[in-house]
Amino acid sequence: ATLQKPAVLAGFAVMLAIFSLSMFDVYELRLPSALATRLDGASRRLPGGQLAGVFLMGGLSALIVSPCVTAPLAGALLFLSQTRDVVLSASALFALAVGMSTPLLLLGASAGAWLPRSGTWMNVIKRFFGLVLLGVALWVVQPVLPAAVVLALWGALLLVSGFMLRPYDANPHSAAPRVW
């Protein structure tokens, strides 16, 4: 009940809006340079291909990925606890593990050859996720706002998204060559 108070919802919405400004290049959100250099030095000292280094990197990646895995895993465990079927539970959790690890294993086996190269398309993706953060901020705060204000804010967000994503810009690759 405490998290549904208007001040808390407004605080979360403001935080999301501030984080979205980073996606629009208003400011850059980075680790402090001292911490970044320390982590970089520690990762360079790890022995490649040895059991301890692989174990440590796997543990660090599990810490990074765990917030993304928690919600689907909790939902699956809740559903499976209601079914009381051991075979279904084991096969469902195995399928969840295989489905989440297979893409990572394939990308790791490709040694980065299948990863997309950065370019101008990444700026569009960054702006898109900035708009998504603004949408989530509006969605979080909409229960405490009047309906007319919520509709006006959603309309403004949709108008801004049309300008930010620029869907009608000319693609430089599709322009016909000029003949002088």
Side-chain angles (χ1 to χ4, degrees):
T2 304
L3 291 177
Q4 294 302 314
K5 291 186 178 181
V8 175
L9 292 175
F12 281 128
V14 166
M15 278 185 7
L16 288 168
I18 289 171
F19 287 145
S20 74
L21 294 177
S22 172
M23 297 295 187
F24 301 130
D25 293 328
V26 173
Y27 67 92
E28 193 167 332
L29 191 60
R30 286 187 169 197
L31 279 175
S33 61
L35 182 61
T37 55
R38 186 179 303 152
L39 288 174
D40 185 46
S43 69
R44 291 183 189 277
R45 284 192 305 269
L46 284 175
Q50 293 183 356
L51 186 61
V54 171
F55 182 77
L56 186 61
M57 292 302 278
L60 288 175
S61 67
L63 284 175
I64 293 169
V65 172
S66 65
C68 302
V69 177
T70 303
L73 181 62
L77 289 174
L78 182 67
F79 171 73
L80 294 173
S81 68
Q82 298 298 319
T83 63
R84 297 183 184 262
D85 186 0
V86 175
V87 174
L88 175 68
S89 300
S91 60
L93 291 176
F94 179 74
L96 179 70
V98 167
M100 293 180 72
S101 62
T102 301
L104 294 174
L105 290 172
L106 289 175
L107 283 176
S110 74
W114 293 345
L115 291 175
R117 302 288 176 239
S118 82
T120 57
W121 68 277
M122 284 299 290
N123 291 328
V124 175
I125 299 297
K126 201 163 80 167
R127 284 192 303 250
F128 171 75
F129 280 110
L131 291 170
V132 168
L133 280 173
L134 285 176
V136 171
L138 181 55
W139 180 71
V140 164
V141 79
Q142 79 181 10
V144 297
L145 293 177
V149 173
V150 170
L151 287 175
L153 288 173
W154 278 115
L157 181 64
L158 290 174
L159 283 173
V160 167
S161 67
F163 290 112
M164 292 294 292
L165 296 178
R166 296 185 276 203
Y168 299 110
D169 278 359
N171 187 352
H173 299 292
S174 65
R178 294 185 183 184
V179 178
W180 298 99

